[in-house]
Amino acid sequence: MSEYRRLFAEARDDAETFWARAAEKLLWRKRWRAVLDDSDAPFYRWFAGGELNTCENAVDRHVREGHGEQPAILYDSPLAGAQRTVTYAELQTETARLAGALAQRGIGRGDAVVIYMAMTPEAVFAMLACARLGAVHSVVFGGFGAKELAARIDDAGAKIVLASSCGLEPGRIVNYKKLLDEALQISECKPEHCIILRREQMPGEMTPGRDEDWNEATAKAPEAECAAVAATDPLYILYTSGTTGKPKGIVRDNGGHAAALLWTMKNIYDVAPGEVYWAASDIGWVVGHSYIVYAPLLNRNTTVLYEGKPVGTPDAGAFWRVMAEHGVVSMFTAPTALRAIKKEDPEGKLPRKHNLSKLRSQFLAGERSDPDTIEWLEKHLRVPVIDHWWQTETGWAIAANPLGIGRFPVKAGSATVPMPGFDLRALGENGEAIPPGELGNLAVKLPLPPGTFPEIWRGRERMREEYLSRYEGYYLTGDSGMIDADGYVHIMSRIDDVINVAAHRLSTGQMEEVLTSHPDVAEAAVFGVADELKGELPLGLVVLNSGVARAGGEICEELVALVRKEIGAVAAFKKVAVVKRLPKTRSGKILRKTMRKLANGEESPAPATMDDPAILPEIAQALAELGHGKREK
Ligand code: COA
Ligand code: AMP
């Protein structure tokens, strides 16, 4: 713990020395001019003037240093019934060829490439090939539908799309190619080329002149070298949900990102080069970017790429099978996945069937970890179970239990302590410091450390408005919580309209926009209700236009289908009811919190500002019909 305290203090008081030391571990083409460039505060830049290549650091460097035969990727897909080992040498060749194919099609430094792919090794090649050229990738999660994909293609200004023909879900094949075609019909930006990985399960229809077969395109391509890229150049854009329907493109740079992620592997996860590390997430999320791809490869680990589910592929022992078979030393997943496992194997019989002797730690993030799940895991895995808190914006943990620099006793329900570089505070409405143990808005004193987001893609003002203007000199995390007397951080809830469904971050505002686009809907409110498995589920209440004579049930079915089509299956939007009016304040603000409390069966008197409390019984009735709210004994 004392090592942690020393490093935390150094990162706060002498950030330049601290982060320069971390960056020294990388291979630089040109040394930086300034570790921290604050000339444009509150927008900061790390390692300004420096040049490096992220792919070179994650792949080529290890091959050059004699580790070409070490497995870089262990692909394990119960859904495809396939396994494949990719060594660092193979990863270098595959990545260089794909980069060559991209370069032949005009892609170079700064060009945006959208990646819409399933969890196969080619998706990792795709990300690294962009990094190799200094192009900017934007991975879109496969669970998003055509409209969301189109919005990202447009906002990023994609010059090319790399896609899988399909994704595999239990019991169904998702036709990514068809979704891509639909997206390109509605997008304004029309990428000239699409390179398609035609999977045997559903190879997809090709559009002549635009679509090219992945294997053909790469077979003939020359191997591209790693370009020198400015440390401050964007490596990727990753879209995340905000309060409005318009997704936010979180930008990650090259230099700060590589330095910070490499630092975390030893200091937070306590994983040494050469060891096998597994993050059971998806490359479409930030956890996948940071801990399936970049951090383990920068640290010369073997990363497991798992195309399967925690349960049902084939059973609730799948995670333990993967850990045992591949010798995983540290694993990272979301609590929702473990709740799903625990539900099917409450007595923990399945972990005992596998040899988990190599496993040293289990990390959790993406949502609040409930103490029951932590206790169950500790009992059955017999390793430290570490909750840690982070966001797409930060790219790595704001708070964690840093195993490499001093392990803290676990307090269930807490993400432990702020990481070096994150000077975290709980602030009140007017920026006043909140005393230990009391609830406040969690904010980080600027500058944020390397590896976090320097900007929103084409959204500098949006960044200022949403994150930097609430408290001058601080980054507003969007989470409320408390820091207790021992310095432990407890995350309580979001302060905006973002909900967390199966550790996926979703915008209720965006769902409301989709609902009100239905011709029969006048008004809509969407809020999160508690769910045992997924943490939260979205629930919608809608008011129909006057004069609509159709049955409410039929309209609700259309609304469920509409959200699935417009946003995607990942929204998990299945519950909606028609009501006559929505509860509002006298000034017309919809009382989502009141409805959420009613739905969760919490005692909650009607707020004093409420316009007409007499409508609450009708709302309670609608919620009861959806299976929510107080049950009669
Ligand atoms: N491509 C296409 N569709 C996808 C998809 C993908 N990559 N991933 C999920 N979907 C679909 C699912 O098939 C499901 O569709 P359905 O409504 O037809 O059943 C829908 O999106 C919702 O998916 P999800 O919320 O993941 O629920 P699930 O019922 O499939 O699985 C869990 C439940 C708990 C097992 C699962 O949510 C899980 O493993 N979550 C872990 C989340 C995670 O790793 N998050 C990353 C942050 S660390
Ligand atoms: P995302 O950007 O999708 O990773 O979602 C980030 C949000 O997920 C955070 O702002 C939190 O609301 C929530 N979150 C992530 N990790 C945790 C955690 N360990 N405990 C509580 N909430 C978390």
Side-chain angles (χ1 to χ4, degrees), residues 523 542-544 578-582 615 618-619:
E523 255 191 321
V542 294
V543 177
L544 300 182
V578 174
V579 291
K580 287 203 192 70
R581 273 190 297 156
L582 291 172
I615 69 167
E618 191 215 334
I619 302 291

Side-chain angles (χ1 to χ4, degrees), residues 24 48 54 56 127 147 149 196 244 282 326-327 374 422 451 478 494 498 576-577 603 608:
E24 302 283 0
T54 298
E56 182 170 38
M127 294 164 76
K147 200 164 163 220
L149 176 58
I196 311 294
T244 67
D282 188 287
H326 303 304
I374 294 199
F422 290 99
R494 292 284 306 187
V498 165
V576 57
E603 286 300 338

